[in-house]
Amino acid sequence: MASSPASAASEEEAVKAAKVLMVGAGGIGCELLKTLALSGFRDIHIIDLDTIEVSNLNRQFLFRQSHVGQSKAHVARDAVLKFRPNINITSYHANVKDAQFNVEFFKQFNVVLNGLDNLDARRHVNRLCLAAEVPLVESGTTGFLGQVTVHVKGKTECYECQPKPVPKSYPVCTITSTPSKFVHCIVWAKELLFAKMFGDKNQDNDLNVRSNESGTSKSDVFERNADEDLDQYARRIYDHVFGYNIEVALENEETWKNRRRPNPIYIRDTLPEEAIRQNGSSRDINNEQEEPSAMVSLGLRNPQEIWSLADNSRVFLEALKLFFEKREKEIGNLVFDKDDQLAVEFVTTAANIRASSFGIPLHSLFEAKGVAGNIVHAVATTNAIIAGLIVIEAIKVLHGDYKKYRMTYCLEHPSRKMLLMPIEPFEPNKSCYVCSETPLLLEVNTKTTKLREVIEKIIKSKLGMNLPLVMIGSTLVFEDGEGLEEDEAANYALNLEKVLAELPAPVVNDTKLTVEDFQQELSCSINIKHRDEFDEEKEPDGMVLSGWSAPVEKQVTSNGGNQSVASSSGADYADGIVEDISTKPGMKRKLDEVLELKENCDASSSAQVVEDDDDDDLVMLDENPKLAKKKRLQ
Amino acid sequence: MGGGGGAEEELTAQETALYDRQIRVWGVDAQKRLSKAHVLVCGMNGTTTEFCKNIVLAGVGSLSLMDDHLVTEDDLNANFLIPHDESIYGGRSRAEVCCESLKDFNPMVRVAVEKGDPSLIDGEFLDKFDIIVVSCASIKTKLLINDNCRKRSKHIAFYAIECKDSCGEIFVDLQNHSYVQKVGGEPKPKELAYPSLQEAISVPWKNLPRKTTKLYFAMRVLENYESSEGRNACEASLSDLPAVLALRKDMCDKMSLSESQIPTALLERLLAAGKKQHPPVCAILGGILGQEVIKSISGKGDPIKNFFYYDAADGKGIAEDIPPLSSD
Ligand SMILES: [Zn+2]
C-alpha cells in the first residue's frame, strides 16, 4: 500500500491470512463488506440482526427491492460472493449480544470492525474486544459527517473512554404540561397518547385520564363504552386530550405566571361540521388498501406539506378510527414504530394539534416522522468513505503498524484545508470504568430506593451491562440470566423489590457494591454514598452516578436547522452515532488545538496530534505544552 | 446546477420512501434536481465504479458510461461491477458490463452505454449532459473535454479523477457556480468562479503557497512525462523513474521550486502503482466525488474548489484552491 514494495507484500500476506469479524450489515456494513472483499480479505464473518427495509435501499447497495424482509447478513454475503466467489464469508442473522458470541468466539478474530447503529451494541462489542484482547475499529456516520477510530487494549483509548452522546430525554413536566418545542409535543404524542391509546394498558402513563364530565362514571376516559359509536369515541378522546386536559392545566395559575397560556382546542371549533355530522364517506376507499392510511383516505398526498389545524384534526380522527376498524387485534400491544404509516399519522397530527395549542409551529408528516423515529440522516457517499477508512486502519492493525494508527474524521466543510482529518489516537483514559479498574460512586437514598431501580437505571442503562450480577461483600443479591435454580430466582425477584438498606446484606453509606457481567467479562466496583434529597428536574433518576464518562446529549443538525433528537426510549440511528465533536467537552478542546493551533493550549491530555506547518508528518505533543511548543518550533 | 428549473412536480411515493434518509440530508428540492441531472463518465475503473454506484443510489436522472476497452482480468481487481466469470465479461466492453450491474442498483435511474473515444468528444455531444467525469485519460484528452465544456452555452460541470494505488487526485471545474451556503443556519447565496484545467495546471509554482500539497506537484510531473511520451494516464512505471526524476529537476529549475517539494519516494510510489488502485482509496475518492457532484447539482453546500487530494500514507484528505486568489 503506502510503503515500500517489501512492506506492501507483507501487508498483502497479513490481509490474506486475516480472519475478521464485522458487526453490522447496514449502511456502513454493505460498503465495508464490499471493500474488504475487493482488498483481498478471504475470511470474513458478519453478524446482523436486522432485516432489509425499503428505506435502506438508497445506500445499502447490496440489497434490492426483492430482498425486503430478508436477513441483511445473509443477503449481503450472497451479493458479495457474486463478484468474489472464492472467499469465505460466514453470516449470522443474530444479535451480537447473544450468548453464542462470547469472549471465546471473539478470540478467533484478528480484528473486529463495527458498522453498528446503536450505542448499546457498540459498548457490548467494546467490552468483548477488551476481554478477548482483539483490536476494534469503530465507526459511525450522520449525513456528511463520519468517523473511524481504532481501539487496541492498553495502547489506545477504548470506545468508552470518552463520553458518548445519548438521545436527549426531557423532564416529565415539560412533556405533560409545559411543552415549548415541537419535539416535546412529539414525545407527548408518541410516548403518552399513542402508548395510552394503543399500547400496553398496564404500563405507567402520566396522561390525565380523569374527567369530570357528568354522566361518566368510569375512572378512565380512554375506555370505550360498549355502546359508543367510533366517531363519538374519537371526538371524545380529541376533546379530552386537546380541550379538557388543557383547561385543567390552565387552572394551575402558578405554572403560567411566566409562560404563554395554551388554548384548549375542541372539535366543535376546529371542525364545526364534523362535530355534528357522522363521517362515513371514507370507509370504502380503505378497503382496497393493504396498509390503512388516514391521509390517503382523506385525499392528502404530500407528506412534505404542513397541514392546517383542521386537516391535522381530520387525519387524527381518521387515524384513530382506522386503528379500531382495521387493526383492533393489535390494540394493547402496539409500540410506536417509524415504519408504521398509521402510527406516524396519529403521532404527527396529535403533536401538531398540541403544538397549535401551545403556539408552537406545526410540522409536516415527513419532518415529524424524522423527529418521532429518531431518524438520522444517511447517505451512501459518507458510508463508502468511512468503510474505506475502516479498511485502511484494519490493514495497519493487522500489520501491527501501531505508530500509524489514526482516528479519522470526515467533515462537511474543510478545516485547515482538510475534509478527511486524521488524528493520532489518544491513550486509554486512566479513570475509564470499562478499561481501567477505577471504582464508581453512586449517590442514592438507600432507605427509599429499590434494588430494581439501581439495576435498571444505573447498571443496565448507564453501565450498559446485559446480564448483570450484584454482590455486596461476598453476598450475592442478584443475578440475571438463564440456568438459575427456581428458589434462587425467587429469592432474587424478592430482592429486586427491596430497598437497598433492607437487602440481606444491607446497603448503606460507604457500602461497596461489585457488579459484573460474565458475558462481557466486565466487573466494576461502586461505592455507595447515602443522600436524602434529589432535584426532580436535574436528577430525574433520583440517584447520581459519578466517576464514569457521563453521556453528552445529542443534537443533530439537519439541513433545516437545529433539530433535537428526542425521546427517552431506545435510540434508533440510521448508520450509527457520530460523536458530534463540537458537543464533546474533552474532544472539543483537543480538536480546537488541532484545528486552530491555539498558542496557549492546555495540553493536559495524554497524547495530542498537531500538524507541523513545515512538514506533512504529524508531530505529537506530550504532556508538557512548553515542550510541545519547542518541538514544533524546531 | 445553477437553475435546476421546473422542480414543480412532486416526488412519487416510491421515490419518497426510497430516498427518505437522504432527503433528510439535502431536502426535497435537491432530490428533484438530482432526478433531472444527466451524468457522463468516461473511463471505468475502481474509482469511477465507486462514484457510479454512489450517484445511482442517490437517484440521478441518468448515467452514461463511455469505455470501449474490452474487460481483462486486470479490471477485476478494484471493480465490484464485473462478475468473476469470463463467460459474462469476455469480449465485452467495460462500459457494457458495468452498465448491466449498475442498472440493478436503482430501477429509477437510466443507465446507458455511450460508445466512442473520449479524445474525440465534441461540444455538441456534451450538451446532453450536466456533469462530465473523466478518468484514465491523457491530460490532452482532459484538457480538450474541459475546454469543450466551457465553450457550451449550457452549464456543464467537469471533473477529472485519478487514483494511483494509495493516492488520489480530483479536479473540479464548475465554471461559475452559484449555490446556497449555510452560515449559522441562515441560507446565503454565494458565487464561485473556477479556473479551467489549463489554468489550474499551468500556474507558476513559485506563486503557490509553500504548504501546497506535494501531490499536486508530483501529479504535474507525471502528467508532463506521460504526455511528452505520448502515453495515457497511469501508463508510466517504475522503470521510468530516472527519466521522471530528470523531468522533475527540469520543471523545478524552470519554476524555482526546491526539488525536495516533490520527494523521490513519492514519485517512486506513484510510478510503482501504475494502474493499480487500492480498493479502500477508490471508495474514499469515489465517495468524495459523489458528494461533490451531488453538491453541484443541488446547489447546496460548499463545493471543493478546485482540487482534492488523498494519500493513505498520512491519511489526509485535502482541498486545494489553485491558483490561489491572491496570485492574480
Ligand atoms: Zn476505556
Side-chain angles (χ1 to χ4, degrees):
Chain A
M1 188 182 98
S3 32
S4 70
S7 147
S10 73
E11 267 169 13
E12 225 172 284
E13 285 310 308
V15 164
K16 272 189 200 166
K19 187 170 183 177
V20 304
L21 175 65
M22 277 181 58
V23 192
I28 295 171
C30 280
E31 294 287 341
L32 181 56
L33 188 59
K34 170 259 300 166
T35 305
L36 285 173
L38 290 174
S39 304
F41 285 82
R42 292 180 169 183
D43 191 359
I44 309 167
H45 291 236
I46 180 163
I47 304 175
D48 199 311
L49 173 67
D50 285 344
T51 53
I52 297 159
E53 290 171 27
V54 171
S55 63
N56 300 150
L57 302 178
N58 79 318
R59 61 197 189 285
Q60 301 179 12
F61 77 103
L62 299 173
F63 310 146
R64 304 282 174 269
Q65 189 75 40
S66 60
H67 296 133
V68 169
Q70 297 181 40
S71 152
K72 286 188 177 179
H74 296 334
V75 174
R77 169 186 180 273
D78 294 347
V80 168
L81 287 179
K82 279 199 183 128
F83 62 85
R84 280 294 176 278
N86 301 320
I87 64 170
N88 290 311
I89 304 176
T90 312
S91 54
Y92 308 83
H93 180 205
N95 189 335
V96 68
K97 290 171 95 177
D98 289 350
Q100 56 169 318
F101 307 120
N102 53 16
V103 175
E104 280 310 304
F105 175 87
F106 272 71
K107 275 188 176 155
Q108 62 182 307
F109 299 102
N110 301 100
V111 64
V112 174
L113 313 174
N114 267 359
L116 278 164
D117 62 0
N118 68 85
L119 182 65
D120 211 33
R122 281 187 163 95
R123 301 208 291 187
H124 187 82
V125 172
N126 180 46
R127 289 157 195 202
L128 283 160
C129 285
L130 285 167
E133 304 204 22
V134 181
L136 169 66
V137 183
E138 174 59 72
S139 66
T141 67
T142 295
F144 291 121
L145 303 176
Q147 77 203 2
V148 172
T149 52
V150 187
H151 308 283
V152 180
K153 190 176 180 179
K155 293 202 163 113
T156 66
E157 62 178 10
C158 84
Y159 175 69
E160 294 173 85
C161 279
Q162 297 269 356
K164 290 292 168 282
V166 292
K168 201 172 168 70
S169 59
Y170 301 94
V172 173
C173 63
T174 306
I175 301 305
T176 57
S177 335
T178 55
S180 58
K181 290 182 181 145
F182 185 66
V183 60
H184 301 151
C185 302
I186 284 282
V187 173
W188 175 87
K190 176 173 114 172
E191 302 201 3
L192 298 183
L193 187 60
F194 183 86
K196 181 75 206 170
M197 294 288 307
F198 310 116
D200 183 354
K201 300 277 182 255
N202 299 320
Q203 204 93 79
D204 283 350
N205 194 306
D206 290 304
L207 214 58
N208 176 23
V209 298
R210 283 182 305 276
S211 166
N212 64 354
E213 283 169 48
S214 53
T216 8
S217 53
K218 280 196 305 316
S219 59
D220 189 341
V221 294
F222 288 90
E223 295 280 320
R224 187 177 162 196
N225 300 326
D227 58 344
E228 194 171 22
D229 168 71
L230 197 48
D231 281 299
Q232 271 172 7
Y233 174 64
R235 291 196 299 267
R236 188 163 63 75
I237 297 295
Y238 185 105
D239 284 347
H240 177 77
V241 296
F242 303 117
Y244 174 76
N245 275 359
I246 300 290
E247 307 253 21
V248 172
L250 281 169
E251 284 164 19
N252 190 348
E253 288 298 335
E254 201 59 29
T255 312
W256 312 110
K257 260 190 180 156
N258 300 309
R259 286 191 178 90
R260 180 194 176 280
R261 296 169 67 89
N263 308 314
I265 296 179
Y266 290 97
I267 202 79
R268 59 170 182 268
D269 304 320
T270 46
L271 298 173
E273 75 283 14
E274 263 158 81
I276 25 168
R277 182 171 65 83
Q278 297 239 332
N279 179 3
S281 59
S282 60
R283 292 290 78 84
D284 306 334
I285 306 168
N286 259 297
N287 288 338
E288 306 300 318
Q289 280 171 238
E290 267 185 27
E291 197 190 2
S293 157
M295 62 180 278
V296 170
S297 353
L298 295 171
L300 290 165
R301 305 212 176 276
N302 188 358
Q304 314 278 351
E305 189 178 82
I306 299 171
W307 299 326
S308 65
L309 177 59
D311 277 342
N312 272 294
S313 303
R314 277 188 202 100
V315 175
F316 176 83
L317 295 175
E318 183 69 13
L320 194 158
K321 286 187 276 181
L322 283 173
F323 266 116
F324 279 88
E325 280 179 351
K326 309 275 172 177
R327 300 173 57 178
E328 190 154 23
K329 284 198 191 104
E330 297 166 66
I331 293 174
N333 302 311
L334 279 164
V335 179
F336 176 81
D337 174 356
K338 66 180 188 308
D339 296 311
D340 177 342
Q341 170 70 18
L342 196 56
V344 171
E345 291 172 348
F346 180 88
V347 165
T348 299
T349 52
N352 272 334
I353 301 165
R354 186 167 174 84
S356 179
S357 231
F358 284 86
I360 297 166
L362 309 197
H363 286 65
S364 72
L365 181 107
F366 179 84
E367 293 168 309
K369 178 180 169 179
V371 180
N374 289 329
I375 296 175
V376 169
H377 330 292
V379 282
T381 48
T382 318
N383 289 337
I385 295 167
I386 290 301
L389 293 168
I390 295 173
V391 176
I392 285 171
E393 291 310 317
I395 295 173
K396 290 182 201 166
V397 166
L398 293 172
H399 200 234
D401 292 337
Y402 163 51
K403 291 238 159 70
K404 293 186 185 161
Y405 296 171
R406 293 289 177 272
M407 32 193 209
T408 307
Y409 289 90
C410 179
L411 308 173
E412 192 172 353
H413 307 285
S415 179
R416 302 188 71 231
K417 297 204 303 193
M418 280 184 275
L419 274 173
L420 299 175
M421 182 188 287
I423 297 176
E424 197 153 312
F426 299 115
E427 278 178 7
N429 175 355
K430 290 188 186 75
S431 57
C432 170
Y433 75 95
V434 178
C435 67
S436 81
E437 274 151 32
T438 318
L440 299 156
L441 180 72
L442 180 66
E443 293 174 74
V444 60
N445 187 332
T446 55
K447 291 171 193 152
T448 59
T449 310
K450 289 176 183 169
L451 179 62
R452 174 191 293 284
E453 295 173 71
V454 174
I455 290 176
E456 295 298 333
K457 292 178 183 169
I458 302 294
I459 299 170
K460 286 194 173 168
S461 154
K462 290 212 162 58
L463 303 184
M465 286 191 180
N466 196 22
L467 300 170
L469 167 157
V470 183
M471 298 217 315
I472 300 158
S474 58
T475 313
L476 189 57
V477 294
F478 179 77
E479 200 178 346
D480 214 338
E482 287 161 23
L484 292 177
E485 297 288 334
E486 236 172 75
D487 56 333
E488 280 177 326
N491 199 13
Y492 295 149
L494 227 70
N495 284 347
L496 278 182
E497 304 309 324
K498 288 182 180 157
V499 297
L500 297 177
E502 286 162 17
L503 283 166
V507 174
V508 292
N509 197 34
D510 281 342
T511 303
K512 185 174 156 187
L513 295 187
T514 305
V515 292
E516 286 183 36
D517 186 309
F518 282 127
Q519 194 192 0
Q520 299 175 345
E521 285 198 12
L522 175 64
S523 167
C524 47
S525 310
I526 305 178
N527 292 329
I528 299 292
K529 191 177 166 199
H530 174 84
R531 200 171 115 193
D532 284 327
E533 302 280 336
F534 289 87
D535 185 321
E536 218 175 286
E537 286 280 310
K538 289 183 195 135
E539 300 158 335
D541 286 339
M543 46 192 126
V544 177
L545 183 70
S546 45
W548 70 306
S549 339
V552 178
E553 290 194 334
K554 184 177 182 260
Q555 295 276 318
V556 172
T557 306
S558 70
N559 53 337
N562 275 329
Q563 181 186 26
S564 331
V565 169
S567 166
S568 48
S569 66
D572 180 8
Y573 298 97
D575 296 315
I577 305 164
V578 159
E579 288 160 31
D580 182 349
I581 43 192
S582 63
T583 63
K584 270 176 87 173
M587 200 61 207
K588 179 160 170 51
R589 182 180 49 71
K590 288 168 187 164
L591 267 172
D592 279 347
E593 293 161 10
V594 176
L595 302 179
E596 294 157 32
L597 276 177
K598 282 186 179 160
E599 282 304 303
N600 298 320
C601 64
D602 160 32
S604 56
S605 65
S606 49
Q608 163 62 47
V609 173
V610 157
E611 191 192 19
D612 186 298
D613 284 2
D614 293 320
D615 200 275
D616 277 352
D617 291 325
L618 295 162
V619 177
M620 195 161 85
L621 293 182
D622 34 39
E623 309 223 355
N624 185 338
K626 278 180 194 146
L627 188 73
K629 208 167 170 181
K630 237 184 249 163
K631 261 191 187 167
R632 280 186 34 232
L633 292 172
Q634 274 171 6
Chain B
M1 317 273 313
E8 300 310 318
E9 62 265 46
E10 304 301 335
L11 296 177
T12 64
Q14 192 191 5
E15 287 170 315
T16 308
L18 176 65
Y19 301 134
D20 183 285
R21 297 303 185 272
Q22 65 198 38
I23 291 175
R24 293 177 194 282
V25 179
W26 50 63
V28 188
D29 287 344
Q31 190 63 50
K32 288 181 194 160
R33 285 188 183 160
L34 274 173
S35 70
K36 292 189 176 65
H38 304 290
V39 181
L40 172 69
V41 175
C42 304
M44 293 307 295
N45 51 40
T47 316
T48 45
T49 296
E50 284 281 345
F51 165 73
C52 290
K53 171 206 68 192
N54 293 335
I55 55 156
V56 167
L57 290 173
V60 291
S62 76
L63 170 65
S64 302
L65 310 178
M66 181 180 278
D67 193 332
D68 292 348
H69 293 88
L70 295 186
V71 175
T72 66
E73 224 179 294
D74 282 349
D75 294 321
L76 304 181
N77 280 331
N79 194 325
F80 55 90
L81 296 177
I82 306 176
H84 260 223
D85 182 350
E86 220 194 315
S87 70
I88 296 177
Y89 69 73
R92 301 173 69 199
S93 75
R94 289 179 196 153
E96 281 168 345
V97 178
C98 292
C99 172
E100 206 166 278
S101 300
L102 279 167
K103 276 183 177 164
D104 267 4
F105 284 20
N106 186 346
M108 284 183 263
V109 176
R110 270 171 293 130
V111 188
V113 174
E114 280 288 350
K115 288 204 168 142
D117 181 347
S119 69
L120 304 173
I121 283 180
D122 64 27
E124 213 167 305
F125 171 78
L126 292 173
D127 279 349
K128 296 200 277 183
F129 305 100
D130 305 292
I131 305 279
I132 313 286
V133 173
V134 184
S135 190
C136 20
S138 68
I139 186 67
K140 199 176 143 208
T141 301
K142 288 176 190 164
L143 287 168
L144 172 86
I145 298 176
N146 179 241
D147 198 42
N148 276 332
C149 286
R150 295 180 77 92
K151 281 183 187 148
R152 308 312 296 175
S153 56
K154 178 186 178 185
H155 186 283
I156 305 169
F158 174 89
Y159 298 85
I161 181 165
E162 295 301 340
C163 171
K164 287 172 185 283
D165 198 18
S166 52
C167 300
E169 179 187 64
I170 299 174
F171 168 77
V172 183
D173 177 10
L174 304 184
Q175 304 179 37
N176 290 308
H177 180 66
S178 28
Y179 69 105
V180 179
Q181 189 182 42
K182 277 257 153 80
V183 183
E186 292 284 302
K188 285 211 170 102
K190 208 179 153 162
E191 298 273 344
L192 283 178
Y194 282 74
S196 68
L197 179 57
Q198 182 66 62
E199 290 163 327
I201 62 171
S202 46
V203 186
W205 288 355
K206 61 175 188 310
N207 292 356
L208 294 175
R210 211 161 47 94
K211 281 199 284 181
T212 303
T213 180
K214 295 172 170 66
L215 266 171
Y216 171 82
F217 303 110
M219 292 298 280
R220 303 291 78 80
V221 172
L222 288 184
E223 205 166 75
N224 235 323
Y225 178 74
E226 284 167 347
S227 112
S228 67
E229 297 280 303
R231 302 193 208 179
N232 271 328
C234 306
E235 272 184 9
S237 69
L238 208 48
S239 59
D240 296 301
L241 184 64
V244 169
L245 292 181
L247 181 62
R248 170 184 70 178
K249 183 171 188 319
D250 201 37
M251 291 175 74
C252 285
D253 285 352
K254 242 185 241 161
M255 297 202 264
S256 326
L257 184 79
S258 155
E259 278 188 74
S260 67
Q261 285 293 85
I262 318 175
T264 308
L266 179 59
L267 288 170
E268 231 172 43
R269 265 171 60 205
L270 295 173
L271 284 169
K275 284 185 176 164
K276 192 168 160 268
Q277 302 198 321
H278 191 39
V281 177
C282 294
I284 293 166
L285 288 170
I288 297 279
L289 182 60
Q291 269 171 15
E292 287 307 309
V293 166
I294 290 164
K295 281 187 213 165
S296 123
I297 295 171
S298 63
K300 270 190 170 176
D302 297 310
I304 288 174
K305 179 166 178 286
N306 53 344
F307 283 96
F308 176 80
Y309 291 93
Y310 179 73
D311 186 351
D314 62 16
K316 285 183 203 165
I318 294 176
E320 290 282 3
D321 191 355
I322 298 173
L325 283 176
S326 53
S327 75
D328 291 339

